[in-house]
Amino acid sequence: LQEVHARPGMAARRGDAIVALVAICAALATLPDARVHGFKANDFKKCETSSFCQRLRDRPEGATREIYSIEGRWEPIGGRGGGWGAVLAKAGEPRPLRVELTPYGDEGVVRLRVDEPAHPRYVVPDVLVDDLSPSEFADVQFAHQSGGKGGTTGARTVFLTKNPDVDVVVTHAPFRVAVRVRGHETTVFNRRSLFEFEYKRDGPAEGESWSESFNSHTDSRPNGPTALAFDVTFPDAEHVYGIPERATSLSLKETRDATGRVMSEPYRMYNLDVFEYLAESPFGLYGSIPVMLAHAKVPSGGTVTSAVYFNNPTETYVDVTKDSEVRSQGFAGFGGRKSTSVDAHWMAESGSMDVFVAPGPTPAAVVRQYTSLTGTTRMPPSFALGYHQCRWNYRDEKDVAEVDAGFDAHDIPYDVLWLDIEHTDGKRYMTWDAGKFPTPRRMIEDVASRGRKMVTIVDPHVKKDDGYPIFKEGKDKNFYVKKADGTTDFDGWCWPGSSTYLDVTSPTVRDWWAGKFALDQYQGSTKDLYIWNDMNEPSVFNGPEVTMQKDLVHAGGVEHREVHNAFGMYYHAATAEGISRRNEERPFVLSRAFFAGTQRIGPIWTGDNAADWDHLRVSIPMVTTLGLTGLTFAGADVGGFFGNPDAELATRWYQIGIYYPFFRGHAHLETKRREPWLFGSESTRTIRDAIRRRYQLMPYLYTLFEAAHREGSPVLRPLWYEFPDDPTAWAREDAVMLGPAILVHPVLAQGAVDVDVSLPDGVWYDFDTGESHVGPKRWRYPVTIADVPTFVRGGHIVPRRDRPRRSTSAMRRDPLTLVVAPDARGDAVGELYLDDGVSFEHQTRGAFVRRALTYAAHKELRCSAPTAASARAGGVEGSRGASANGAADASSVKDFADVSVERVLILGAARHGGAVVNGDARDVVAAPASTRDGAPGGGAVAVRKPGVRIADDWTIALAASAGR
């Protein structure tokens, strides 16, 4: 939610019209123009108005080349294995810095930290996983090297990791760190000598002021300038990805060219409430994940993916420069080799100099390595993967009942109905407007009686009102963020007017807040009510850049500038803990703000987008970028939050929205009603078909989420993730992969009559017709409003549930259809994961079923416990967790272990004969490839009613005539 609506009637109905009107007018008078007129760049800082960025950005390459160097030798930290440390000297500075290099795991992940021992920097807690501990280097070798124009000799130290393919070479002077994979440098720290570490000072110099002003706000900066800068080079890379959140391309554009010419603002990471954000901009939005991935074609052949993670939640800018040069004799094409590289210049206002390098070498390995540090996706409750219907606002209990009934009347499945801020008593969260929602418990129970859930919004600002128990108790316990004096509660403006903000950086405050979601605390709630955290950047309407002042004070005397990008994550975590305690089951809490590690808590969405084709298009790289940086449970508001989509735009948005990991329709208060059946009968039918496909794919989707939980792998993937050796895929964002098996080419242009479809190498099957294609192949695919080019990848097996149901709970016991898409050899593999979809018993009791599906040589389909050979079905390499069935007793898994297979669908089979299932004969018949109305027959053959349970081992042998 963004815009302030000064409607006195809203507050007047609370019985205090005059006071409310004065408060709203006062709030409006302090707001930046953006709250009324849309995005205005002048209301937000740029590099030139951020003193630290301005100070650091314009330094020339090599600016600190002769300044920083390692003194002496590296020594083990603590006198034995694990990390190693050394003195990092700065020329002309008597106070030494401390540099440490530490390995983690056995894949070659390393951590580089620099600090000032006399004044240690703040390191944000609770971001890295609790059980993260260092491993050891396999060997450390000290050596001298010759180099330079004068043939000088310099020292270097080589750290060999437990991964024999990965080592780290540290050059002592000038200070430089290079991570190598199979002898090739993939990630180089300080190659351009832009590293800078600003020392803590006792006070400003004569005539100097530490305070900094922007618009009408002044930041006192009591600790002075403490900025950090460093450069990271990715040799041989052409593309870099990551550092969300922003609306821009998948492959990040350069912000400065190789000559130093400024192309645009640097990419900014500073969580902000951005009203009507642009569909193309480097400007940062609601969340930040300081992870950058690079993909390089190496000289020795093949490709390498690597990544860096900057463990720092302070305001950060990143410049991206793409360079190319001709190496060796000759020139490109005539004896020389054109070499590319991408340089990233990171500039942070304060905080810790703490960088992790994930060496890859594959995209899956990089994501796995990064999520080993910050955690994998929390396993969601199954209902959370269904469709969510939201609006600012459903008016009252009658409106809720009518919307709920509308889905059933139009045979459209959905799982969750949402209430925005107007359901509360005067924006006092965890209360109800007694006139509009007099019986909330009855309302929730009625929706739940049909297997559905509800969600209410709870924002981090707390209305200042001693009659509001939450405010009063928080004040009495001294739980609010403080002003710069460290004692006075901060007072900011948001939806309720004058508000305080819980200091959720404190574990004590988070524990207290979690307790407020107990049923006896949140009156009118039930266990079927879940939560939505909005405005948690945090949004402060009268604050600088619509957020908190940086010199506010948190628990332990920590300035807000040190924790800003993590603040929303702390609030999200406390809320999720409250729901988990209340239900003793998996929580569901949506957040707008996020940071590294948010994936351990719950989903996010991409904020307040607009109902236009540009925002539809940019939603795809926004969501896939989040998946590449660990936060795969994400989606965009279907239809756009602002504005009124016409029937075509709404339909096309639903057709791609069904593949967002988080699938929600949402709309602004002043838009027309847009439930899925309100765009005419043809659109209703097409949108219904799209949403039903989401539910049809639920077994496959749930299996992908379990892989994300186990390995960190993204659910929705850019093409290059699955096809890293295909240069045409590296920047593609007009098509996506749902897991490893389904490719979607959404229709992204108004009035389209065809789509430029390009399939990567391999065999592909049209999802709707069963027609086979051999890639690489490119052609114009004709479309009507009902069509979205969608393909099943040869070599994979996709589990489905084909019976239309009203919700995920209604389909829990439904039988499965297994869709087999053979590759050129007639082989295919797949995986299926099932659990109860609700509890933690999959972790505490091993109550789950994981099965490997293997189809061989057009002859045989086998279901068995997973093996290493079948691991790629989930898009993972190896396994952190169990790779077979859970070890729970039979009673705890009976509910889902009894699920049967009602049909096996084999795509591309030209003839059909019989089948033998565990010795018993079964019919094989011609069948359509999909369940969509009008789908042509004969696109596949089907083994009907094989009579097997998915939890059992079995084999289906096919007669020769059932093959190609």
Side-chain angles (χ1 to χ4, degrees):
L1 296 177
Q2 299 290 328
E3 185 174 18
V4 169
H5 289 269
R7 295 184 177 180
M10 290 183 182
R13 286 191 294 271
R14 308 293 184 263
D16 198 5
I18 295 176
V19 173
L21 180 57
V22 171
I24 292 172
C25 291
L28 284 171
T30 65
L31 300 185
D33 290 343
R35 309 220 64 83
V36 178
H37 302 296
F39 180 79
K40 283 194 173 181
N42 290 338
D43 292 325
F44 299 98
K45 283 188 173 184
K46 297 179 180 179
C47 184
E48 64 184 17
T49 52
S50 296
S51 63
F52 77 92
C53 184
Q54 183 184 45
R55 192 165 63 246
L56 297 170
R57 189 185 196 194
D58 292 333
R59 291 193 170 193
E61 183 169 333
T64 62
R65 179 177 176 83
E66 307 302 328
I67 296 179
Y68 292 97
S69 60
I70 300 291
E71 283 192 351
R73 299 174 69 101
W74 290 78
E75 300 292 342
I77 298 172
R80 55 189 182 83
W84 288 62
V87 172
L88 182 63
K90 181 177 183 179
E93 173 58 62
R95 296 171 294 176
L97 298 173
R98 172 77 174 173
V99 58
E100 295 179 352
L101 191 69
T102 307
Y104 288 84
D106 56 8
E107 295 190 59
V109 174
V110 292
R111 181 182 196 177
L112 178 69
R113 297 188 63 193
V114 178
D115 209 346
E116 182 183 358
H119 301 283
R121 294 294 183 95
Y122 179 79
V123 179
V124 62
D126 307 308
V127 172
L128 303 176
V129 294
D130 291 339
D131 59 353
L132 185 66
S133 58
S135 57
E136 295 184 354
F137 288 112
D139 194 13
V140 178
Q141 301 170 352
F142 180 78
H144 288 274
Q145 63 177 357
S146 297
K149 294 181 180 179
T152 57
T153 301
R156 70 173 188 170
T157 303
V158 180
F159 297 83
L160 306 181
T161 73
K162 288 187 175 181
N163 182 345
D165 289 336
V166 179
D167 63 16
V168 184
V169 179
V170 180
T171 304
H172 289 203
F175 177 50
R176 179 180 186 270
V177 181
V179 176
R180 303 189 302 188
V181 176
R182 295 188 291 272
H184 174 74
E185 289 186 351
T186 60
T187 310
V188 184
F189 178 93
N190 206 36
R191 188 172 86 165
R192 298 172 61 200
S193 296
L194 292 174
F195 172 73
E196 184 60 279
F197 188 103
E198 294 185 335
Y199 281 73
K200 171 83 167 138
R201 291 155 56 189
D202 295 331
E206 185 177 351
E208 179 187 19
S209 173
W210 281 354
S211 65
E212 181 177 345
S213 296
F214 178 72
N215 291 344
S216 61
H217 301 277
T218 298
D219 175 9
S220 63
R221 294 204 306 168
N223 294 314
T226 55
L228 308 166
F230 60 94
D231 62 272
V232 175
T233 300
F234 301 101
D236 296 300
E238 295 182 34
H239 300 277
V240 290
Y241 317 87
I243 57 172
E245 181 185 34
R246 64 202 76 254
T248 192
S249 57
L250 173 68
S251 175
L252 294 172
K253 302 176 179 70
E254 63 178 348
T255 60
R256 304 190 77 158
D257 69 13
T259 68
R261 181 168 61 98
V262 172
M263 309 293 288
S264 74
E265 277 290 297
Y267 296 104
R268 190 185 188 198
M269 284 177 282
Y270 191 63
N271 296 2
L272 292 171
D273 177 359
V274 183
F275 180 76
E276 291 187 329
Y277 62 82
L278 302 176
E280 172 53 53
S281 174
F283 191 79
L285 299 176
Y286 311 96
S288 302
I289 303 178
V291 173
M292 180 175 284
L293 299 87
H295 191 60
K297 185 176 182 179
V298 298
S300 58
T303 59
V304 170
T305 307
S306 58
V308 293
Y309 163 53
F310 182 38
N311 185 39
N312 184 324
T314 69
E315 181 184 5
T316 301
Y317 289 87
V318 183
D319 261 325
V320 171
T321 299
K322 299 182 179 182
D323 197 6
S324 63
E325 61 180 351
V326 177
R327 293 182 180 173
S328 72
Q329 295 181 350
F331 52 92
F334 295 90
R337 184 178 68 84
K338 185 178 180 180
S339 173
T340 61
S341 66
V342 180
D343 299 301
H345 183 200
W346 299 66
M347 298 159 283
E349 183 181 24
S350 57
S352 59
M353 176 61 238
D354 191 4
V355 176
F356 290 83
V357 178
T362 65
V366 162
V367 176
R368 181 177 64 245
Q369 291 156 9
Y370 164 68
T371 56
S372 73
L373 306 171
T374 62
T376 60
T377 299
R378 182 195 286 270
M379 192 66 194
S382 57
F383 76 80
L385 306 190
Y387 175 59
H388 300 246
Q389 182 64 42
C390 185
R391 179 176 178 81
W392 180 21
N393 203 85
Y394 287 118
R395 297 182 297 268
D396 50 31
E397 291 182 3
K398 180 175 181 291
D399 198 10
V400 167
E402 289 174 350
V403 172
D404 179 63
F407 279 91
D408 289 336
H410 294 89
D411 292 323
I412 300 173
Y414 95 104
D415 265 80
V416 190
L417 190 60
W418 294 52
L419 295 178
D420 212 317
I421 58 176
E422 309 305 334
H423 82 278
T424 63
D425 177 12
K427 313 303 187 294
R428 298 169 181 86
Y429 299 107
M430 305 167 88
T431 68
W432 302 87
D433 183 323
K436 297 177 180 179
F437 297 92
T439 57
R441 180 181 292 274
R442 183 211 58 78
M443 173 186 66
I444 299 165
E445 289 173 346
D446 178 63
V447 171
S449 69
R450 286 172 291 282
R452 294 165 177 149
K453 312 294 182 183
M454 290 194 70
V455 165
T456 54
I457 193 168
V458 178
D459 290 348
H461 45 267
V462 180
K463 182 179 177 66
K464 291 186 70 174
D465 175 3
D466 281 331
Y468 178 28
I470 286 179
F471 168 75
K472 182 67 163 57
E473 186 176 351
K475 183 178 73 170
D476 293 344
K477 291 180 177 292
N478 201 30
F479 278 173
Y480 295 119
V481 177
K482 306 304 179 187
K483 292 183 178 180
D485 61 17
T487 58
T488 308
D489 287 347
F490 167 68
D491 183 338
W493 281 84
C494 209
W495 296 122
S498 183
S499 303
T500 51
Y501 290 74
L502 290 168
D503 184 6
V504 286
T505 68
S506 163
T508 302
V509 175
R510 294 201 300 272
D511 181 71
W512 172 81
W513 181 239
K516 293 302 170 187
F517 292 91
L519 296 180
D520 62 350
Q521 295 287 310
Y522 188 171
Q523 297 297 316
S525 67
T526 80
K527 289 187 175 184
D528 291 304
L529 182 68
Y530 294 83
I531 302 299
W532 167 21
N533 290 159
D534 198 358
M535 316 295 283
N536 55 332
E537 294 76 26
S539 179
V540 182
F541 290 166
N542 62 336
E545 301 190 271
V546 202
T547 192
M548 283 183 176
Q549 291 94 321
K550 291 179 177 178
D551 55 5
L552 299 184
V553 178
H554 293 274
V558 176
E559 277 193 295
H560 181 71
R561 82 182 72 246
E562 303 287 349
V563 299
H564 176 83
N565 287 343
F567 181 90
M569 183 182 72
Y570 283 127
Y571 189 72
H572 191 194
T575 305
E577 174 62 21
I579 300 302
S580 181
R581 283 187 205 172
R582 183 197 70 186
N583 286 14
E584 296 184 333
E585 292 175 346
R586 302 176 210 173
F588 173 81
V589 178
L590 179 74
S591 174
R592 190 170 70 178
F594 56 86
F595 188 63
T598 287
Q599 66 270 14
R600 303 196 306 266
I601 303 166
I604 66 97
W605 90 107
T606 61
D608 299 340
N609 57 359
D612 61 50
W613 292 89
D614 288 337
H615 276 88
L616 168 62
R617 283 186 285 269
V618 81
S619 73
I620 297 172
M622 290 181 77
V623 173
T624 52
T625 293
L626 288 162
L628 289 173
T629 54
L631 187 46
T632 194
F633 199 3
D637 282 344
V638 171
F641 179 68
F642 290 107
N644 296 300
D646 61 16
E648 182 187 9
L649 177 58
T651 300
R652 292 306 190 195
W653 214 316
Y654 273 102
Q655 288 170 334
I656 182 59
I658 64 171
Y659 301 108
Y660 295 155
F662 174 63
F663 178 34
R664 182 183 75 158
H666 186 34
H668 187 275
L669 183 72
E670 294 181 342
T671 62
K672 298 175 182 178
R673 292 296 287 259
R674 60 164 93 147
E675 285 70 47
W677 54 87
L678 295 180
F679 294 94
S681 58
E682 180 183 8
S683 294
T684 298
R685 180 172 58 255
T686 306
I687 293 170
R688 178 196 302 119
D689 287 346
I691 297 176
R692 282 183 174 178
R693 178 162 294 182
R694 168 76 170 210
Y695 281 78
Q696 180 185 52
L697 290 172
M698 200 60 69
Y700 177 64
L701 190 62
Y702 197 69
T703 299
L704 291 176
F705 265 91
E706 194 276 334
H709 172 64
R710 180 164 35 102
E711 293 291 334
S713 54
V715 172
L716 193 68
R717 306 169 181 181
L719 259 64
W720 75 267
Y721 184 95
E722 286 294 322
F723 301 95
D725 294 330
D726 180 358
T728 67
W730 294 346
R732 284 275 303 281
E733 57 187 48
D734 61 343
V736 287
M737 296 292 298
L738 183 67
I742 296 176
L743 185 151
V744 183
H745 250 292
V747 182
L748 302 173
Q750 187 174 16
V753 296
D754 57 26
V755 174
D756 184 11
V757 167
S758 181
L759 295 177
D761 186 50
V763 178
W764 298 88
Y765 301 88
D766 191 299
F767 193 101
D768 291 303
T769 69
E771 180 182 0
S772 63
H773 303 269
V774 178
K777 179 180 179 181
R778 181 175 181 178
W779 79 105
R780 303 297 301 186
Y781 186 112
V783 295
T784 68
I785 191 63
D787 300 314
V788 177
T790 307
F791 303 89
V792 182
R793 185 180 179 185
H796 291 267
I797 301 172
V798 177
R800 302 190 324 209
R801 278 187 165 128
D802 287 351
R803 300 182 183 184
R805 299 295 190 189
R806 64 163 37 135
S807 66
T808 54
S809 65
M811 63 195 305
R812 290 182 66 243
R813 295 183 177 87
D814 280 358
L816 297 161
T817 292
L818 303 179
V819 181
V820 179
D823 62 15
R825 297 181 302 275
D827 299 336
V829 296
E831 191 171 79
L832 178 70
Y833 174 86
L834 297 171
D835 60 26
D836 64 17
V838 176
S839 75
F840 293 110
E841 289 194 354
H842 63 294
Q843 293 176 321
T844 61
R845 300 183 63 190
F848 64 86
V849 169
R850 183 182 292 122
R851 306 297 286 164
L853 304 165
T854 308
Y855 183 72
H858 295 296
K859 295 179 180 179
E860 180 180 272
L861 176 65
R862 183 182 299 272
C863 179
S864 62
T867 64
S870 66
R872 72 185 180 94
V876 298
E877 300 173 355
S879 175
R880 287 189 192 132
S883 59
N885 288 345
D889 59 87
S891 63
S892 66
V893 299
K894 180 175 174 56
D895 188 46
F896 47 89
D898 281 341
V899 170
S900 64
V901 177
E902 68 175 345
R903 193 168 64 137
V904 174
L905 197 65
I906 303 170
L907 302 178
R911 302 177 304 280
H912 51 89
V916 177
V917 182
N918 290 342
D920 296 326
R922 294 289 188 276
D923 289 335
V924 177
V925 300
S930 82
T931 57
R932 185 176 127 182
D933 290 342
V941 299
V943 181
R944 298 188 301 178
K945 298 181 180 179
V948 293
R949 296 192 325 156
I950 197 66
D952 298 332
D953 291 349
W954 46 261
T955 299
I956 298 176
L958 299 165
S961 60
R964 288 187 173 181

